[in-house]
Amino acid sequence: MFTDMVGYTALMQIDERAAIDKRKRYAAALQANHDAGGGTIVQRLGDGSLSMFPNAIDAVRSAIGMQRELGAQDVPVRIGIHLGEVIIEPTGLVGDAVNIASRIESFAVPGSVMVSDSVHDLVQNRPDVTFTSLGRFRLKNVGRPFEIFAASADGIVVPDPGTLEGKGERFATLPGNLPASTTLLLGRDEDLTALTELVSQHPVVTITGPGGVGKTSAMTELGRRLAPEFQGRVAFVPLAEVDTPDGFVPAIAETLDVKEAEGRTLRDGIVALIADKRALLLLDNLEQVVAATPEVARLTECPALRIVTTSRTPLRIAAERVYALAPLPLPPPSGAGDPDSLRSYPSVALFVERARSASPSFELTERNAAAVTSVCRRLDGLPLALELAAARLRAVPLDALVGRLEKALDVLTSGPRDKPGRHQALRATIEWSHSLLTESEQQLFRRMAVFSGGCTFDDLEPVCSDPGGSFLDDLSALVDNALVQRAEASGRFGMLQTIAEFARERLEASGEAAEVITRHASRYAELGGSIRDGIEGDDQIGSVERGMTEEGNLQAALDALLARVRAGEALAGEAGMQLCGDLWMYWHIRGKNLTAREYATSFLNAAEAEPTVGRAGALITAGLASWVLGQIERSNEEWSDAHRIATAAGADREVCIAASMLGLGHLGIDNAAGLSWADEAIERGRTTGFHWAEAFASSFAGLLHAAEGDVDAASASLSHAAAIQRRLQDEEGLGVSLGGLAQLALAREDLTGSVDLYRQGLAAFEAIGDRAEEARILDELASAQLRIGDVAAARRSFFDSIRAYTDIASVRGIGLSMIGLAACEAVEGRPMNAATMAAAAEGYAAQEGIVNVYSEETPGREFVDRARAELSAADLAEASANGSSLTIEEALDLARGD
């Protein structure tokens, strides 16, 4: 504590006796009050003193007692108190705390007791004394700014803050009122680093993002991290309860304690308070008063002020930089991996941490890793949704929670009661954003729920807009409000799953659902035709990629059409069969043969049995699926029906394709009949300019000629097909033709040439992404490598083939490739292993599965037969018995030598 008797020197010059008398009274009061409070007077400095106390409250009480006593005797004294560590030396006290206490005393006025913020923090809740803040000041030779308080009690002078002007550099008085952090903010370090950089460079930074993404939490943590840089001048202004633009400035003024004054607006008062000092203003939930953004722009008149806002829509002012806060990164769909690697994904880390809060025994383990992954992905890594889901674990087992998240909005309720209402349930959070939309924006929002997996701009307008509407403005508003997201790379529009669920509810309640679903189905039926034309034209890869992107929408369109045809709508049946027919090769390339058969047969059974073009197309699709699944007789029946119907309907394309497929269907069964069908398709394709089908049929003709032993005709047909396919960039057809040419090279013992052609064919299938054909050609490539004697390369290729068959879930295909691995064992002189593996493989090869077979020969079969011949009857029986009991993984371990 420093004390100083004011005016003593001047009084000595005027009235020495009076000065000495007042000094005695000052000294007596000083000693008496120190004795009462346990203080020690360390130094008497003429008309002042330096002393110390055992605690802050005794120092303050002693100072108040002293001022009351001296005030009644008209002895003017200033007192300043600070709390800190000192060094006691023989000559007195030294240290920063002494210097600071001296500076605090210099701010005092006669009759007052001034204390530093350090003292205030310790004694502020005492009933016998209150304090008034006089502002924040930088003290001479002191590192940090201090907030100075005046003690307020009976008989004590509390100075007007204005009397302190000029005594030190005043800082803007911002309340430092950041909300307390009760939980750890996870997964936002990169965001906070980026935001810190933006704040350092731009006057206004707006954090945008969908409701529940954690904008307020991120901004609060940002303020906490930046507080030292702004020397504590950080103010948090909650705006959720402000529902009109006129309330914006008063809300800030209230937070900053700026009062009304005659001849000055509240905004001018705020600007005057902050002036040119560095300060940080955090404006939370600005979206509902976004019309007040001009006032935000005016606040940037303060040159060193930085403003950070949270809003579901940008402010669109010149000084603003927008930071879109995304949901937390997600783990891969498989959920595989050890728990430690899964914890590295912020969405998983957040869910696990909050789950432990709800259920302390919860742990992330290998057993529940898939379920945790499912929760995180279903909730799109949205922090609020993850927290609400984790809270449910108090009563609901994890597996049961996963099963209920199809209706996430009904499950994710009952958040912490100390949170705002809109943060206690996910539905309330989304409703908050939805309520800020105009009627036309709400209409577009709910209609966009019809899309599955997002959509392009070109698809969005015909499905969701009405003539004369404000479509572009409405779409921009939805993106600005973070209810709809636009992917920068692809330009696609989409919604988070939970937001889409809310939009679907609104669509169902609007009475518009049937019309919008019909528009959607029509649009994607058109897209199916475009995908077909691209695959059968000169944009095969691009069309397959478009199909992959729109797979969810195509399936939704099929489901909608199927529901309508089952309800008796004939036109929907024709449209559905046509879409199935259009997707025939796309589904084949993508290995979706079960999907193809299910949809095609469903429409064929539900629709009226009229001989239409759509029915012919659906039969072609069903036939190809049957053939791939090994049901050859059924496939030929379906293709024959397709050919008959298409011929009657005069549909050249469908006639040509059906004839091509009948050529393939007769391969190895009736090659002459197959060639007749292939020749018909070739001629029809040539005369109608349908060159893709001409080449397709020529490939099958080549395979049929090869099966008949006519090598020259086979080579000519395959080469003719490959030339057209290269010109059209038909990777699917080219892979088939090159594989056929490789078989011919293998037959004439051109083993090196055969391997090279197989590799070219493999590259073509890899380019188009046909994993089933990759599996087949790898199998045949391995057989050629085995013939060359490169067993190691053959084994690698057989294993690669098994991986490809595993990707398309074809047990039959895995079994066929395992026969090749058995052949490797045979070539390396292990006939018992070979026979054991072959027995296991043959059991799996007899099961149903996706396999493309263009030859009756199974790669490696001849080597397996030789190995079996080397064994005795007893050994062969033992190997067969052992092999038939092996699982796939056990058989593969045997092949690896494990």
Side-chain angles (χ1 to χ4, degrees):
M1 175 195 294
F2 269 93
T3 69
D4 177 50
M5 181 179 165
V6 179
Y8 173 73
T9 302
L11 184 59
M12 280 288 289
Q13 296 174 357
I14 299 171
D15 187 342
E16 183 176 350
R17 185 181 296 277
I20 292 173
D21 181 61
K22 286 192 175 185
R23 183 183 175 197
K24 287 181 178 178
R25 295 177 190 176
Y26 158 67
L30 178 71
Q31 187 66 57
N33 282 281
H34 274 69
D35 290 344
T40 301
I41 301 172
V42 178
Q43 289 179 292
R44 294 181 184 269
L45 308 169
D47 53 355
S49 69
L50 167 62
S51 57
M52 60 183 183
F53 284 81
N55 57 66
I57 187 60
D58 286 339
V60 171
R61 285 172 175 163
S62 294
I64 290 173
M66 191 186 315
Q67 289 290 32
R68 283 173 174 162
E69 183 177 338
L70 293 173
Q73 301 176 43
D74 194 26
V75 178
V77 173
R78 298 182 309 200
I79 300 178
I81 306 172
H82 176 60
L83 175 71
E85 295 182 357
V86 297
I87 300 172
I88 302 175
E89 294 187 346
T91 57
L93 303 180
V94 296
D96 286 343
V98 176
N99 178 41
I100 293 168
S102 174
R103 302 299 178 196
I104 298 293
E105 180 268 320
S106 72
F107 277 74
V109 299
S112 69
V113 176
M114 299 295 207
V115 303
S116 69
D117 48 19
S118 301
V119 174
H120 172 263
D121 289 346
L122 285 179
V123 301
Q124 60 181 316
N125 295 320
R126 298 286 175 169
D128 53 340
V129 60
T130 59
F131 295 89
T132 299
S133 173
L134 302 179
R136 292 171 60 83
F137 296 85
R138 185 183 296 281
L139 309 181
K140 185 178 180 180
N141 298 325
V142 176
R144 74 170 179 90
F146 277 81
E147 187 168 4
I148 297 177
F149 294 84
S152 177
D154 291 341
I156 305 300
V157 175
V158 177
D160 184 278
T163 63
L164 274 62
E165 292 298 332
K167 292 195 173 187
E169 181 187 356
R170 181 187 288 274
F171 284 81
T173 304
L174 274 69
N177 61 335
L178 287 172
S181 176
T182 57
T183 55
L184 184 65
L185 184 66
L186 296 172
R188 293 302 189 193
D189 285 343
E190 291 184 9
D191 296 300
L192 291 167
T193 299
L195 284 165
T196 299
E197 183 68 18
L198 286 175
V199 170
S200 71
Q201 297 176 0
H202 304 287
V204 181
V205 175
T206 298
I207 304 174
T208 65
V213 80
K215 299 183 292 296
T216 299
S217 297
M219 183 177 71
T220 303
E221 180 61 26
L222 177 68
R224 199 168 283 115
R225 293 190 180 191
L226 291 177
E229 180 183 336
F230 286 88
Q231 296 168 319
R233 297 185 303 277
V234 179
F236 179 89
V237 184
L239 297 167
E241 303 303 321
V242 180
D243 54 8
T244 65
D246 291 342
F248 172 69
V249 170
I252 298 177
E254 182 179 355
T255 300
L256 301 185
D257 198 28
V258 173
K259 307 299 184 184
E260 293 182 354
E262 188 175 350
R264 185 194 74 180
T265 66
L266 282 176
R267 181 177 62 81
D268 291 341
I270 294 168
V271 170
L273 173 66
I274 298 173
D276 60 353
K277 308 304 189 292
R278 280 182 59 76
L280 178 63
L281 203 56
L282 306 177
L283 308 178
D284 190 37
N285 289 114
L286 194 56
E287 60 265 13
Q288 80 278 12
V289 286
V290 74
T293 52
E295 293 292 351
V296 178
R298 293 186 185 102
L299 288 176
T300 61
E301 294 172 13
C302 301
L305 174 65
R306 290 291 186 265
I307 300 172
V308 179
T309 79
T310 66
S311 175
R312 299 183 193 184
T313 179
L315 309 187
R316 301 198 183 282
I317 57 177
E320 178 192 35
R321 289 297 180 272
V322 176
Y323 187 85
L325 191 65
L328 296 174
L330 298 169
S334 64
D338 64 281
D340 287 339
S341 64
L342 278 178
R343 284 191 195 93
S344 67
Y345 293 94
S347 56
V348 174
L350 176 64
F351 180 78
V352 170
E353 195 273 337
R354 300 299 191 262
R356 284 176 178 164
S357 297
S359 177
S361 63
F362 182 86
E363 291 290 342
L364 178 63
T365 65
E366 291 184 0
R367 293 185 63 183
N368 66 17
V372 170
T373 296
S374 178
V375 170
C376 293
R377 292 188 64 82
R378 172 62 182 86
L379 300 178
D380 296 302
L382 200 64
L384 175 61
L386 292 171
E387 292 179 354
L388 293 172
R392 283 296 187 193
L393 294 180
R394 293 188 185 96
V396 180
L398 179 59
D399 289 341
L401 177 65
V402 172
R404 284 166 169 77
L405 285 182
E406 282 303 311
K407 291 290 185 181
L409 297 181
D410 294 332
V411 174
L412 304 183
T413 59
S414 303
R417 292 188 176 91
D418 60 347
K419 296 284 188 179
R422 67 186 185 281
H423 288 166
Q424 293 183 22
L426 189 58
R427 185 188 300 281
T429 298
I430 302 171
E431 282 177 342
W432 167 269
S433 294
H434 184 261
S435 68
L436 301 176
L437 302 177
T438 66
E439 185 176 340
S440 62
E441 290 164 0
Q442 290 180 356
Q443 181 185 66
L444 178 59
F445 170 71
R446 64 177 176 259
R447 288 180 175 182
M448 287 186 68
V450 76
F451 294 102
S452 177
C455 62
T456 66
F457 179 85
D458 290 339
D459 294 327
L460 182 57
E461 189 168 11
V463 174
C464 294
S465 69
D466 292 328
S470 53
F471 170 72
L472 290 177
D473 291 340
D474 294 342
L475 180 60
S476 297
L478 294 181
V479 173
D480 285 347
N481 281 279
L483 288 168
V484 169
Q485 298 175 317
R486 182 180 181 274
E488 289 295 329
S490 65
R492 289 178 67 79
F493 296 90
M495 296 178 178
L496 298 179
Q497 293 179 68
T498 47
I499 293 176
E501 182 183 336
F502 180 86
R504 282 191 293 273
E505 290 179 355
R506 288 295 187 269
L507 181 61
E508 289 296 331
S510 71
E512 297 179 326
E515 179 187 353
V516 176
I517 290 171
T518 298
R519 289 188 195 179
H520 177 272
S522 297
R523 179 65 180 178
Y524 286 94
E526 292 177 14
L527 176 64
S530 298
I531 291 171
R532 176 204 68 197
D533 292 343
I535 290 175
E536 296 175 2
D538 57 3
D539 185 27
Q540 190 172 90
I541 292 177
S543 296
V544 170
E545 289 175 348
R546 181 73 196 278
M548 291 168 62
T549 301
E550 301 294 358
E551 208 155 81
N553 284 313
L554 290 166
Q555 182 171 334
L558 287 162
D559 289 340
L561 290 168
L562 190 56
R564 285 162 56 194
V565 71
R566 285 172 173 165
E569 190 176 330
L571 291 178
E574 178 64 14
M577 290 189 294
Q578 181 66 57
L579 181 53
C580 288
D582 291 340
L583 295 176
W584 78 294
M585 186 51 63
Y586 167 76
W587 274 332
H588 175 72
I589 291 170
R590 294 283 297 138
K592 292 185 170 293
N593 296 283
L594 294 173
T595 296
R597 183 167 71 177
E598 180 179 346
Y599 275 117
T601 54
S602 293
F603 277 104
L604 288 167
N605 292 333
E608 296 180 2
E610 298 292 328
T612 63
V613 176
R615 179 168 287 275
L619 284 164
I620 290 171
T621 300
L624 181 55
S626 297
W627 179 84
V628 169
L629 294 168
Q631 299 169 1
I632 307 302
E633 184 176 348
R634 175 176 172 175
S635 67
N636 281 330
E637 291 175 357
E638 288 164 331
W639 286 329
S640 295
D641 286 345
H643 187 272
R644 174 180 53 78
I645 292 171
T647 301
D652 286 337
R653 173 191 169 275
E654 284 72 18
V655 170
C656 190
I657 292 176
S660 296
M661 302 315 296
L662 283 165
L664 175 63
H666 285 81
L667 178 63
I669 298 172
D670 185 343
N671 294 326
L675 280 168
S676 176
W677 284 115
D679 288 342
E680 177 189 330
I682 292 168
E683 181 59 27
R684 188 176 291 270
R686 183 183 296 120
T687 57
T688 60
F690 191 9
H691 300 300
W692 179 86
E694 175 191 351
F696 201 54
S698 294
S699 296
F700 296 151
L703 297 176
L704 287 158
H705 283 303
E708 287 288 278
D710 190 343
V711 175
D712 292 338
S715 180
S717 292
L718 290 166
S719 297
H720 172 70
I724 296 174
Q725 288 153 350
R726 284 193 174 95
R727 187 176 75 246
L728 294 176
Q729 296 183 315
D730 173 11
E731 302 292 349
E732 181 74 8
L734 181 61
V736 173
S737 297
L738 290 171
L741 290 168
Q743 288 179 5
L744 294 179
L746 192 63
R748 61 175 181 266
E749 297 299 322
D750 180 7
L751 302 181
T752 302
S754 174
V755 168
D756 181 60
L757 286 165
Y758 274 130
R759 292 195 182 282
Q760 292 181 48
L762 177 61
F765 288 129
E766 288 175 340
I768 195 62
D770 189 336
R771 288 293 275 163
E773 284 287 13
E774 287 179 48
R776 174 188 67 84
I777 215 159
L778 280 164
D779 225 12
E780 295 180 11
L781 168 63
S783 181
Q785 291 166 330
L786 206 55
R787 293 272 293 275
I788 290 174
D790 191 347
V791 181
R795 181 177 275 106
R796 286 195 299 271
S797 295
F798 279 127
F799 270 114
D800 287 344
S801 176
I802 287 171
R803 277 189 283 273
Y805 276 128
T806 300
D807 287 346
I808 60 173
S810 175
V811 174
R812 177 181 169 215
I814 292 170
L816 291 172
S817 293
M818 284 170 58
I819 291 174
L821 289 174
C824 292
E825 294 294 303
V827 170
E828 291 187 326
R830 292 185 289 274
M832 194 69 175
N833 276 3
T836 302
M837 284 195 61
E842 285 165 354
Y844 294 116
Q847 296 186 29
E848 185 176 275
I850 297 169
V851 176
N852 299 330
V853 179
Y854 303 123
S855 170
E856 292 182 342
E857 296 181 5
T858 301
R861 171 66 69 185
E862 67 274 22
F863 298 104
V864 171
D865 290 343
R866 291 176 199 166
R868 281 172 165 161
E870 295 176 21
L871 296 175
S872 66
D875 286 343
L876 181 58
E878 180 183 350
S880 297
N882 290 339
S884 61
S885 65
L886 292 178
T887 65
I888 290 176
E889 194 54 46
E890 289 169 342
L892 294 178
D893 287 343
L894 182 62
R896 296 185 191 102
D898 294 348

PDB file of all heavy atoms in Angstrom, residues 20 229 233 262 334 464 536 575 676 716:
ATOM      1  N   ILE A  20       1.933  20.956   9.978  1.00  0.00           N
ATOM      2  CA  ILE A  20       2.497  19.973  10.902  1.00  0.00           C
ATOM      3  C   ILE A  20       1.379  19.259  11.663  1.00  0.00           C
ATOM      4  O   ILE A  20       1.422  18.043  11.897  1.00  0.00           O
ATOM      5  CB  ILE A  20       3.471  20.676  11.865  1.00  0.00           C
ATOM      6  CG1 ILE A  20       4.705  21.143  11.071  1.00  0.00           C
ATOM      7  CG2 ILE A  20       3.883  19.734  12.992  1.00  0.00           C
ATOM      8  CD1 ILE A  20       5.663  22.001  11.886  1.00  0.00           C
ATOM      9  N   GLU A 229      -3.228 -11.221 -27.000  1.00  0.00           N
ATOM     10  CA  GLU A 229      -2.801 -10.310 -28.065  1.00  0.00           C
ATOM     11  C   GLU A 229      -3.567  -8.994 -28.000  1.00  0.00           C
ATOM     12  O   GLU A 229      -3.023  -7.921 -28.299  1.00  0.00           O
ATOM     13  CB  GLU A 229      -3.010 -10.974 -29.427  1.00  0.00           C
ATOM     14  CG  GLU A 229      -2.608 -10.106 -30.610  1.00  0.00           C
ATOM     15  CD  GLU A 229      -2.894 -10.776 -31.937  1.00  0.00           C
ATOM     16  OE1 GLU A 229      -2.957 -12.021 -31.974  1.00  0.00           O
ATOM     17  OE2 GLU A 229      -3.072 -10.048 -32.926  1.00  0.00           O
ATOM     18  N   ARG A 233      -8.894  -7.068 -24.132  1.00  0.00           N
ATOM     19  CA  ARG A 233      -9.997  -6.237 -24.611  1.00  0.00           C
ATOM     20  C   ARG A 233     -10.831  -7.039 -25.618  1.00  0.00           C
ATOM     21  O   ARG A 233     -10.767  -6.824 -26.829  1.00  0.00           O
ATOM     22  CB  ARG A 233      -9.460  -4.949 -25.243  1.00  0.00           C
ATOM     23  CG  ARG A 233      -8.705  -4.077 -24.254  1.00  0.00           C
ATOM     24  CD  ARG A 233      -8.301  -2.757 -24.868  1.00  0.00           C
ATOM     25  NE  ARG A 233      -7.491  -2.908 -26.060  1.00  0.00           N
ATOM     26  CZ  ARG A 233      -6.178  -3.116 -26.044  1.00  0.00           C
ATOM     27  NH1 ARG A 233      -5.535  -3.195 -24.894  1.00  0.00           N
ATOM     28  NH2 ARG A 233      -5.510  -3.224 -27.168  1.00  0.00           N
ATOM     29  N   GLU A 262     -26.763  12.929 -24.443  1.00  0.00           N
ATOM     30  CA  GLU A 262     -27.366  13.948 -25.300  1.00  0.00           C
ATOM     31  C   GLU A 262     -26.380  14.360 -26.387  1.00  0.00           C
ATOM     32  O   GLU A 262     -25.190  14.606 -26.121  1.00  0.00           O
ATOM     33  CB  GLU A 262     -27.757  15.164 -24.455  1.00  0.00           C
ATOM     34  CG  GLU A 262     -28.556  16.192 -25.220  1.00  0.00           C
ATOM     35  CD  GLU A 262     -29.038  17.317 -24.319  1.00  0.00           C
ATOM     36  OE1 GLU A 262     -28.901  17.192 -23.081  1.00  0.00           O
ATOM     37  OE2 GLU A 262     -29.537  18.311 -24.843  1.00  0.00           O
ATOM     38  N   SER A 334     -15.740 -48.100 -43.908  1.00  0.00           N
ATOM     39  CA  SER A 334     -15.575 -49.465 -43.413  1.00  0.00           C
ATOM     40  C   SER A 334     -15.548 -49.536 -41.897  1.00  0.00           C
ATOM     41  O   SER A 334     -15.953 -50.525 -41.303  1.00  0.00           O
ATOM     42  CB  SER A 334     -14.270 -50.062 -43.960  1.00  0.00           C
ATOM     43  OG  SER A 334     -13.156 -49.338 -43.468  1.00  0.00           O
ATOM     44  N   CYS A 464     -37.075 -28.545 -59.260  1.00  0.00           N
ATOM     45  CA  CYS A 464     -37.514 -27.777 -58.089  1.00  0.00           C
ATOM     46  C   CYS A 464     -38.099 -26.402 -58.380  1.00  0.00           C
ATOM     47  O   CYS A 464     -38.725 -25.812 -57.496  1.00  0.00           O
ATOM     48  CB  CYS A 464     -36.338 -27.603 -57.123  1.00  0.00           C
ATOM     49  SG  CYS A 464     -35.764 -29.143 -56.394  1.00  0.00           S
ATOM     50  N   GLU A 536     -22.513 -45.988 -75.262  1.00  0.00           N
ATOM     51  CA  GLU A 536     -22.603 -46.595 -76.582  1.00  0.00           C
ATOM     52  C   GLU A 536     -22.124 -45.641 -77.669  1.00  0.00           C
ATOM     53  O   GLU A 536     -22.222 -45.957 -78.855  1.00  0.00           O
ATOM     54  CB  GLU A 536     -24.047 -47.019 -76.860  1.00  0.00           C
ATOM     55  CG  GLU A 536     -24.541 -48.097 -75.901  1.00  0.00           C
ATOM     56  CD  GLU A 536     -26.005 -48.445 -76.091  1.00  0.00           C
ATOM     57  OE1 GLU A 536     -26.634 -47.868 -77.007  1.00  0.00           O
ATOM     58  OE2 GLU A 536     -26.535 -49.269 -75.320  1.00  0.00           O
ATOM     59  N   ALA A 575     -41.739 -46.267 -68.483  1.00  0.00           N
ATOM     60  CA  ALA A 575     -40.583 -45.426 -68.177  1.00  0.00           C
ATOM     61  C   ALA A 575     -39.566 -46.187 -67.334  1.00  0.00           C
ATOM     62  O   ALA A 575     -38.349 -46.067 -67.542  1.00  0.00           O
ATOM     63  CB  ALA A 575     -41.035 -44.166 -67.441  1.00  0.00           C
ATOM     64  N   SER A 676     -24.488 -66.840 -86.261  1.00  0.00           N
ATOM     65  CA  SER A 676     -25.614 -66.303 -87.038  1.00  0.00           C
ATOM     66  C   SER A 676     -26.189 -65.063 -86.369  1.00  0.00           C
ATOM     67  O   SER A 676     -26.461 -64.047 -87.014  1.00  0.00           O
ATOM     68  CB  SER A 676     -26.688 -67.373 -87.198  1.00  0.00           C
ATOM     69  OG  SER A 676     -27.814 -66.842 -87.867  1.00  0.00           O
ATOM     70  N   ALA A 716      -9.547 -61.742 -87.426  1.00  0.00           N
ATOM     71  CA  ALA A 716     -10.078 -60.644 -88.243  1.00  0.00           C
ATOM     72  C   ALA A 716     -11.227 -59.939 -87.531  1.00  0.00           C
ATOM     73  O   ALA A 716     -11.300 -58.701 -87.503  1.00  0.00           O
ATOM     74  CB  ALA A 716     -10.536 -61.194 -89.593  1.00  0.00           C
TER      75      ALA A 716
END
